[in-house]
Amino acid sequence: MADLSKVGTEYPPIVWEVERGKIREFAKAIGDFNPIYLDREAAVKAGYKDTPAPPTFLTVPMMWCGKMPDFINDLKINFMMVLHGEEEYEYYREIYPGDVITGTPKVTKMEEKTSKSGSKMDMITLEVLYTNQKGEKVAKARSLLVERK
Amino acid sequence: MIQEKYFEDVNVGDAVIELKKGPLQKLQLVMYAGASGDFNPLHTDDDFAKAVGMKDGVIAHGMFVMGCVGQAVTSWVPKNRLKRLGVRFAGMSKPGNTITISGVVTDKRVVDGENIVTCSVVAKDEQGDVKVSGSFDAALPSKA
């Protein structure tokens, strides 16, 4: 059962260097062959500085940093009972190869809810604000985790 | 290249997206696991998936389907116009499913000098079961 007193907890930053090959690999894995992700020249022609990161790319630093199990443990969430309920990204700037992205994860909301069928669950919102090496805000990710009880 | 969309040409109620993906293959989920770093075996290992109650084996990563939604959205509006994309994971997608992503304009307004269009978006399988639903905001240029 999630420890609801942990709301407001901030975790150590996630730091991630963005590589051109990872952007291409991620786009291809989705089956998105938009040339702006695959070819620098096509991206420049379309008005980008370089091949930009696709809309859901910020899952890459989050998953590859390997910290999610630590957050889940710290929040006393039962890993076997947790579902990914929602995901939202707000975009402020493009993310390009060579950028060094720093994400600051924070637990912004924790609450118990009762479903229509009467079962109880804890809803945990984790927000990560990402900045680049110039200190510019690039995006915010918001994840809703649902722990069934 | 994705055609630029202008604020004046977009109206509430317009259908804006139609992208069909699939049928989903297990190999894609392996590729997505490696690319994203999400190695939960529920998405790549049939034996594991069956052991935790998935009778047909592996299911797709929710974030893979959201990635497909992102592809659909940025095949309608150029990526650098996208301001927000949010989804709720409603159902599991399985290998063999063909996912159709569609969207409708629900609002348009000017906020701080930006022309913002909000659209709903939904991903359904061939049975019409909803996998992912959500919305996005895009800032569109004006013809003026």
Side-chain angles (χ1 to χ4, degrees):
Chain A
M1 201 181 341
D3 177 357
L4 302 187
S5 73
K6 293 271 187 179
V7 66
T9 303
E10 263 190 59
Y11 293 107
I14 297 161
V15 181
W16 182 261
E17 186 171 349
V18 179
E19 295 163 280
R20 187 188 313 281
K22 195 68 185 176
I23 289 175
R24 187 190 305 126
E25 179 192 357
F26 188 75
K28 283 190 166 178
I30 288 168
D32 188 345
F33 298 101
N34 188 334
I36 63 169
Y37 303 130
L38 311 178
D39 174 20
R40 189 173 187 276
E41 253 177 59
V44 169
K45 218 176 262 180
Y48 300 86
K49 204 182 78 185
D50 200 330
T51 53
T56 60
F57 185 81
L58 286 170
T59 192
V60 173
M62 178 49 83
M63 296 312 298
W64 273 104
C65 81
K67 298 280 173 60
M68 196 49 111
D70 297 349
F71 302 160
I72 286 175
N73 281 336
D74 182 61
L75 297 172
K76 309 270 191 290
I77 298 170
N78 178 354
F79 191 79
M80 294 307 286
M81 297 301 277
V82 72
L83 299 171
H84 192 179
E86 296 176 11
E87 186 74 18
E88 181 173 60
Y89 296 107
E90 284 177 30
Y91 306 104
Y92 310 123
R93 272 173 189 278
E94 296 299 337
I95 297 169
Y96 289 120
D99 280 356
V100 179
I101 299 298
T102 301
T104 319
K106 187 176 180 181
V107 181
T108 57
K109 203 171 173 186
M110 294 183 90
E111 56 182 351
E112 186 185 62
K113 282 205 171 160
T114 307
S115 74
K116 281 177 214 148
S117 59
S119 56
K120 289 195 187 307
M121 48 203 171
D122 287 330
M123 318 282 275
I124 301 103
T125 303
L126 183 73
E127 280 189 8
V128 188
L129 178 68
Y130 290 93
T131 56
N132 65 17
Q133 66 283 5
K134 296 176 193 154
E136 298 163 331
K137 289 199 298 176
V138 290
K140 190 196 275 180
R142 186 182 61 82
S143 307
L144 177 71
L145 304 177
V146 179
E147 183 194 19
R148 294 166 294 152
K149 297 202 271 194
Chain B
M1 208 194 297
I2 310 304
Q3 202 77 43
E4 191 75 88
K5 302 292 181 305
Y6 291 96
F7 192 58
E8 292 85 349
D9 296 337
V10 174
N11 295 300
V12 172
D14 287 356
V16 289
I17 300 168
E18 189 70 45
L19 182 70
K20 200 170 265 200
K21 299 276 289 178
L24 278 185
Q25 293 171 0
K26 288 180 187 175
L27 180 61
Q28 275 179 295
L29 303 183
V30 173
M31 286 173 71
Y32 186 80
S36 71
D38 183 345
F39 292 106
N40 186 335
L42 184 58
H43 308 300
T44 51
D45 181 340
D46 277 329
D47 292 339
F48 177 90
K50 284 176 185 167
V52 297
M54 302 297 159
K55 65 176 172 53
D56 299 327
V58 296
I59 59 167
H61 306 74
M63 287 302 296
F64 170 80
V65 182
M66 186 182 188
C68 296
V69 170
Q71 176 189 357
V73 169
T74 54
S75 61
W76 178 67
V77 69
K79 199 224 153 280
N80 51 11
R81 303 293 184 200
L82 185 63
K83 306 292 280 184
R84 184 189 63 84
L85 174 63
V87 302
R88 193 172 71 83
F89 300 103
M92 295 179 287
S93 306
K94 295 174 186 173
N97 278 160
T98 295
I99 306 291
T100 301
I101 299 150
S102 59
V104 174
V105 180
T106 57
D107 190 32
K108 58 183 286 191
R109 62 204 179 277
V110 178
V111 182
D112 299 330
E114 277 193 312
N115 303 312
I116 305 291
V117 170
T118 300
C119 304
S120 65
V121 65
V122 64
K124 295 179 181 177
D125 69 11
E126 60 283 358
Q127 309 292 334
D129 289 339
V130 175
K131 305 302 186 184
V132 158
S133 66
S135 65
F136 68 91
D137 297 336
L140 302 187
S142 172
K143 281 176 172 170

